[in-house]
Each structure stands twice: as structure tokens, then as C-alpha cells.
Amino acid sequence: MSTPLRPVADRWGDRLPRRLGLWSAVAVLVGSTIGGGIFRTPAIIAERVPAPLPMFGVWTLGGLLALCGALTYAELAALFPRSGGVYVYVREGFGRLPAFLFGWSELLLIRASALGAIATPFAEYFLRSLGLDPTRPPYDGVVHWVAALAIVLTATLNYIGVRWSALLLNVTTGAKYGALALLVLLAFAVGGGGGGGRGDFTHFTAPGGPVAGGLFGLALVSVMWAYDGWGDLSFVGGEVRDPERNLPRALILGTSAVVAIYLLVNAAYLYLLPIGQMAHSPLVAADAAQIILGRVGVGLVSLVVMVATFSTLLGSMLTAPRIFFAMSDDGLFFKQVSRVHPRFQTPWVAIVLTALLGIVYVSFRTFQQLADQFVVAIFPFYALAAAAVFTLRRRRPPALLPRPVRVVGYPVVPALFVLATLYMLGNALWQDPLFTGLAFAVILAGIPVYYIWLKRRVT
């Protein structure tokens, strides 16, 4: 029996076929971003920042930071359109040890918690659509099983091919973006009238509670979870057609679209619900829809959230395994993980590994634990990848390494992103030293593992 031929690498060094066009790349970004965050996070933000304008300011600041990150990554994505994205940027900018630490953190902290945090709202709304209460026994335990099954299903879809996953992602992304736009339109067109909990512009100027600086920073952590997804597109950079042109455009178009709809949706929530009511409304989208359309609205929103979170889970399962694939290709992980399926042309071992990790995490942790852990663990590397723009400009200037795209607003834009990330992480460490410190300790534990791995390879 003959051994299947190893796929030939293209001129950028990638072995996976480039099947994603511009709009599919935009759909990957938007689909990976708009999920449970915009349906679950607003209540957490309203609780931590209990004043209307500062609450809206957190969402605006988070959007600006996401745009700064996307503008910075546009240069890196055009320069290194490889599978693994952030892993490649960190490696090229700072070397193999920091890149290994990113992959190590993805393996133990980041990706599994992300999949769990995405799958949990899907499971909750799925049970609610069946008339079951996911917050009470025995259905609070069933949530974990349904979430695990959702991870298995999306992993299977990605296992059998990027083309079908991308097609489904395009359809579901368009559906959920349109549904959010419709929610905004109905909120202001139908939800007005004042009194009785209906829409009122005075909600934007009503007095709120005091805003503590530390809680503002923690709220920004939660907001960045909701915005996360703009970085995920980089992970499938090795499968985007005409990447020097399409990757930067998709990063900027997709992130701008997400920021716009998030600000509009939060404005709609605040118009319909006073901030105190928002803070006690974990399923805020359902409550907003009930004000507009009654019980029918709750059912429709449950369907929209299920589509949105399933789409995000599908996108995350599409992008995340490419990190482990890239590490394996680079000799920093077991070589079996870089296997490409001979029929489906997908990194099937990496997909199976990612799914198993997600199932383990979602079985034991809550939504907020998973979401906060994800942000605290991944943003040090987001900042490091952005900082690679500076080191690469110095060590490999445009005269030696031409840039198809350059960061708009350099050096201010990448510097703002890096500094804001450091503030956010420092505040998280100050406010919750045990949880945040444990995450950082796990990341740093990868240093001896890296040297043990190198020694093992040599011997």
C-alpha cells in the first residue's frame, strides 16, 4: 500500500490549499467574533460599569483597540500569510521560545476555554428553546453535555473540508449579522413609546452608580472577549487566496463591521432597558426582544443566538487547529499533528486534538471562568505579535523585506494597542491576582518544557 504524497508547499511555505476568497475570509473573522459575547457580556459590563455613558464608553474603547489590532495585523498578515498567524508573527519577531509559549498557552489555556465559552451560550439557548431552564437542576448539568456535542459537530464539519465549513460559515454569518441589524432597527422603530419598560432615550443620560477604575478595566477584559475574533483570521492565513491583498482587506473590513454592529446593538439594549435592568439580565437579547415582540421575540432571539454561537464555534474550530499544525510543521510539537488528510486536505489530527481539549474544559467550567481565562491568556501574545511590527521594521527593513501593506498610523496605532493591552492585563492581575497569576504561571511553565523538548529532539 503506497503512502500518500506529502502536499507541496506554496511560495509562502504553506501546504494547505488556498480555498478562501475575500468574502469567505471576512466571514471567518465576523463569524468567529459575533457569538455568545454580544448576547451574554452586556449584563456583565453593565454590572461592572453601572453608568450609561461609561458603559457605552467601554464598548467604544474596546472597538477602537480591536481596530488598532486589526490595522497592525494587516501588515503582518500580508508579510507572512501562513497557517498559524499569531504564532508565525511572534516567531518572526521574537524567536522560537515566545512562539512556543503561545502554542503551549493555546494548548492548555486559550483554545479550550474559548471553545467552551462559545459552546456554553449555544447550549443554554438550545435548552431554553425547548422550554427548559438551563440555570436550574438538572438542566444546568445538561448544558455541559450539549456544549460538548456542539464542539464535536463543528469539529466533524471542519474535518471533512474547509470548503463546506466556509460555505456554512458564510451563510450563518450573514444570517446573524442581518438578525442583529434587524434587532437594532426594530428597537428604535417599534420599541419606543416610553413607560412600562419600553424604549426611552433618557436611559442614556440617567444617573448611574459609581464607576471604579479597577472594575472599568475588568469590564474591558470582558468587552475584549466579545470583540475577539479579528485575530483568528490570521490562523488560516495559509488558506486564503491572494493573501497579500485579501488578508489585510478582510481584517479591516471584518473588524469595522463587527465594531459598528456591536455599538448599535448596545445602543438598542440601553434604549430598551435601563442600565440597572441590563445588569440583571444575563440573556439581555431575549429580554430586549420580548419588549419589542413579546414571547415570539424570545423564541426568535433564542434561534438567532443558537445560529450565532454555532457559527462562531464553527469559525473557531476552523482557525484554532492551524496553530498546532504550524507548531508541528515548525518542529515544536509532535510531528503527527501536522498530518494533512489525504482526501479532505485538512489538518485532521490538529482538529481532533482541539476538539478533545474543548470538550474537557466545557465539562467542568462556567461561561465567565472560560471567557476571562481566554482573554487573560491570549492578550499577552496579541500584544507581542503587534510589537513584532517594531522589531521587524528595525531588523528587516522594507529595503530588505518589502511590505505589501503597511500599518496605517504607524507607530501610534500599534503602540496604542500594546500599551492598552498591558494596562488591561496589569489591572486584571491587580484585581484578581490568584486567577490571573495562575494563568501567567501556566504560560511561564512552558519555558522549561521548551528546553526539554529541544533536548529531546537533539538526543
Side-chain angles (χ1 to χ4, degrees), residues 160-171:
I160 63 175
V162 169
R163 184 172 298 165
W164 291 108
S165 294
L167 177 62
L168 185 56
L169 192 59
N170 287 345
V171 172

Side-chain angles (χ1 to χ4, degrees), residues 22-47:
L22 172 62
W23 295 111
S24 289
V26 170
V28 168
L29 190 153
V30 176
S32 297
T33 305
I34 301 176
I38 193 59
F39 301 104
R40 282 288 305 263
T41 304
I44 298 167
I45 307 306
E47 183 180 7

Side-chain angles (χ1 to χ4, degrees), residues 22-389:
L22 172 62
W23 295 111
S24 289
V26 170
V28 168
L29 190 153
V30 176
S32 297
T33 305
I34 301 176
I38 193 59
F39 301 104
R40 282 288 305 263
T41 304
I44 298 167
I45 307 306
E47 183 180 7
R48 290 175 174 174
V49 185
L53 292 183
M55 183 276 291
F56 203 74
V58 178
W59 284 97
T60 304
L61 178 59
L64 291 174
L65 292 179
L67 280 172
C68 286
L71 289 168
T72 303
Y73 279 25
E75 177 173 319
L76 296 166
L79 200 58
F80 305 109
R82 296 286 310 275
S83 295
V86 173
Y87 168 83
V88 177
Y89 310 156
V90 172
R91 183 193 66 199
E92 295 297 324
F94 297 99
R96 288 162 64 84
L97 173 57
F100 176 85
L101 291 180
F102 172 63
W104 165 264
S105 303
E106 278 278 347
L107 185 69
L108 295 184
L109 295 173
I110 298 170
R111 198 47 47 187
S113 58
L115 293 174
I118 297 165
T120 298
F122 170 84
E124 290 172 339
Y125 274 91
F126 176 77
L127 292 174
R128 182 165 177 172
S129 70
L130 298 177
L132 308 174
D133 188 346
T135 64
R136 296 183 178 180
Y139 303 111
D140 56 344
V142 176
V143 165
H144 299 287
W145 290 101
V146 175
L149 288 174
I151 291 173
V152 171
L153 178 57
T154 52
T156 302
L157 289 170
N158 278 291
Y159 184 101
I160 63 175
V162 169
R163 184 172 298 165
W164 291 108
S165 294
L167 177 62
L168 185 56
L169 192 59
N170 287 345
V171 172
T172 53
T173 297
K176 68 183 176 182
Y177 199 93
L180 286 174
L182 181 61
L183 176 64
V184 172
L185 181 64
L186 290 175
F188 291 105
V190 181
R198 297 178 67 82
D200 196 327
F201 283 108
T202 61
H203 294 167
F204 290 89
T205 56
V211 178
L215 288 178
F216 187 94
L218 287 180
L220 187 59
V221 170
S222 297
V223 164
M224 295 315 294
W225 154 254
Y227 275 116
D228 185 74
W230 55 269
D232 283 14
L233 176 60
S234 71
F235 301 146
V236 290
E239 293 165 84
V240 175
R241 295 195 301 265
D242 193 7
E244 293 171 318
R245 182 168 178 262
N246 285 336
L247 273 171
R249 291 172 68 193
L251 277 164
I252 295 168
L253 286 173
T255 304
S256 299
V258 170
V259 172
I261 198 66
Y262 273 17
L263 294 181
L264 288 170
V265 167
N266 274 283
Y269 288 159
L270 191 56
Y271 176 67
L272 294 169
L273 299 166
I275 192 163
Q277 194 173 339
M278 280 184 64
H280 296 91
S281 177
L283 303 183
V284 61
D287 292 337
Q290 186 165 9
I291 292 173
I292 301 170
L293 299 173
R295 293 189 60 82
V296 173
V298 176
L300 291 175
V301 163
S302 295
L303 179 61
V304 170
V305 175
M306 287 167 56
V307 171
T309 49
F310 184 82
S311 173
T312 303
L313 191 60
L314 185 65
S316 189
M317 190 60 73
L318 171 66
T319 57
R322 274 65 182 173
I323 302 165
F324 307 133
F325 175 85
M327 285 183 68
S328 176
D329 241 9
D330 209 21
L332 293 179
F333 203 23
F334 300 106
K335 64 180 181 179
Q336 292 86 349
V337 178
S338 63
R339 287 181 178 173
V340 177
H341 197 283
R343 177 183 174 190
F344 301 125
Q345 293 292 288
T346 55
W348 67 275
V349 178
I351 291 171
V352 172
L353 174 63
T354 304
L356 290 174
L357 291 170
I359 290 168
V360 169
Y361 266 60
V362 81
S363 300
F364 300 103
R365 310 208 72 185
T366 67
F367 168 81
Q368 197 54 48
Q369 289 172 333
L370 292 164
D372 284 350
Q373 177 173 285
F374 171 83
V375 173
V376 166
I378 199 169
F379 266 80
F381 298 102
Y382 275 173
L384 199 61
V389 169

